[in-house]
């Protein structure tokens, strides 16, 4: 199983980090060791002083596919949830300045908590999916899938031109604006359409 993450998929988030708005999807990978086991706390790693939260809609791939056409992309996922793309922003900034890969900042252990999946078919409005992250009871990030630069179909089609997607792979589809640092004892709660699907304690 692999985790594919889309970067800079919301204009306001690209702007808040002073990044250009991309003409094509930007993606990177996290290994399966990035999964945070359910009901486990997230421990702040000692190699960073600036771990940021990025709440994202997460799709679960339901069958193998390669070079998937956009119009058929919806056949390749059947479940959705919210997850967090934890990012060592201080390390990412250094890597970006040097033009080096992001993996040390993005792919570390437990950097990809993932919520309970729900059936995509059950969503009332599939083009208009609301999600938010609360920290210690206060909403810090809100997003809606209709604000994505590249929608689910485009993302799946694009990534599958390069990488075969397999059943069980996860796609983190990018974060809206409002990213920021987490600190010890924070409680992160992730909601999709008002339903809490993920809770992460930071230690
Ligand atoms: Mg992200």
């Amino acid at each position: 199983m692999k985790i594919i993450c889309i970067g800079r998929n919301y204009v306001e988030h690209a702007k808040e980090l002073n990044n250009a708005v991309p003409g094509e999807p930007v993606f990177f990978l996290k290994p399966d060791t990035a999964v945070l086991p359910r009901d486990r706390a997230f421990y702040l790693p000692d190699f960073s002083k600036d771990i940021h939260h990025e709440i994202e809609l997460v799709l679960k791939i339901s069958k193998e596919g390669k070079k998937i056409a956009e119009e058929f992309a919806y056949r390749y996922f059947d479940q959705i949830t919210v997850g967090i793309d934890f990012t060592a922003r201080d390390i990412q900034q250094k890597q970006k300045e040097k033009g080096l890969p992001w993996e040390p900042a993005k792919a570390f252990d437990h950097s990809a908590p993932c919520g309970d999946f729900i059936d995509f078919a059950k969503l009332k409005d599939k083009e208009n999916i609301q999600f938010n992250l609360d920290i210690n009871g206060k909403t810090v990030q809100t997003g809606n899938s209709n604000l994505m630069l590249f929608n689910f179909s485009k993302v799946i089609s694009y990534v599958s031109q390069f990488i075969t997607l397999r059943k069980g792979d996860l796609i983190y589809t990018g974060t809206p604006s409002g990213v920021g640092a987490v600190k010890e004892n924070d409680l992160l709660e992730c909601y999709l359409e008002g339903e809490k699907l993920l809770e992460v304690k930071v230690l």
Side-chain angles (χ1 to χ4, degrees):
M1 169 273 208
K2 56 188 175 288
I3 302 169
I4 295 155
C5 303
I6 308 301
R8 304 175 188 173
N9 205 16
Y10 291 79
V11 172
E12 291 305 315
H13 171 63
K15 280 187 192 164
E16 76 181 340
L17 294 182
N18 296 315
N19 291 316
V21 174
E24 288 181 318
V26 172
F27 74 90
F28 57 90
L29 271 70
K30 294 187 190 234
D32 59 3
T33 42
V35 172
L36 177 67
R38 296 312 306 265
D39 303 322
R40 287 266 298 274
F42 173 76
Y43 285 84
L44 290 165
D46 55 11
F47 50 74
S48 171
K49 297 258 184 299
D50 197 24
I51 298 288
H52 275 204
H53 55 77
E54 295 189 355
I55 188 173
E56 314 201 354
L57 292 171
V58 181
L59 306 178
K60 187 185 272 186
I61 296 297
S62 55
K63 66 173 180 177
E64 183 161 320
K66 180 174 184 166
K67 297 187 188 295
I68 299 164
E70 266 182 64
E71 59 263 46
F72 301 126
Y74 66 90
R75 297 180 183 175
Y76 290 83
F77 69 97
D78 58 1
Q79 293 190 300
I80 187 168
T81 189
V82 275
I84 297 175
D85 166 21
F86 275 127
T87 303
R89 195 71 71 201
D90 43 359
I91 295 176
Q92 188 194 30
Q93 189 54 35
K94 282 184 199 156
Q95 298 294 97
K96 279 161 66 176
E97 283 163 12
K98 294 180 197 161
L100 292 173
W102 293 0
E103 273 73 5
K106 286 285 198 182
F108 54 88
D109 288 356
H110 299 169
S111 62
C114 187
D116 295 324
F117 280 91
I118 58 176
D119 289 339
F120 189 72
K122 283 188 184 157
L123 291 176
K124 284 200 194 86
D125 187 349
K126 296 170 180 58
E127 311 281 309
N128 212 351
I129 305 165
Q130 188 79 31
F131 59 105
N132 61 281
L133 167 65
D134 289 7
I135 300 185
N136 306 327
K138 184 169 172 279
T139 301
V140 295
Q141 281 191 276
T142 58
N144 190 301
S145 63
N146 68 14
L147 296 173
M148 291 192 301
L149 280 169
F150 305 106
N151 64 20
F152 298 150
S153 295
K154 175 73 187 175
V155 161
I156 286 172
S157 175
Y158 185 80
V159 171
S160 73
Q161 305 306 306
F162 304 92
I163 299 177
T164 298
L165 299 178
R166 290 209 169 120
K167 186 175 162 75
D169 287 349
L170 302 181
I171 302 187
Y172 282 59
T173 57
T175 197
S177 61
V179 301
V182 293
K183 59 183 189 313
E184 204 175 325
N185 291 318
D186 278 349
L187 180 67
L188 280 57
E189 295 171 297
C190 302
Y191 295 82
L192 190 154
E193 291 291 333
E195 184 181 354
K196 183 159 80 171
L197 299 179
L198 174 65
E199 184 175 294
V200 181
K201 181 78 177 171
V202 176
L203 292 174

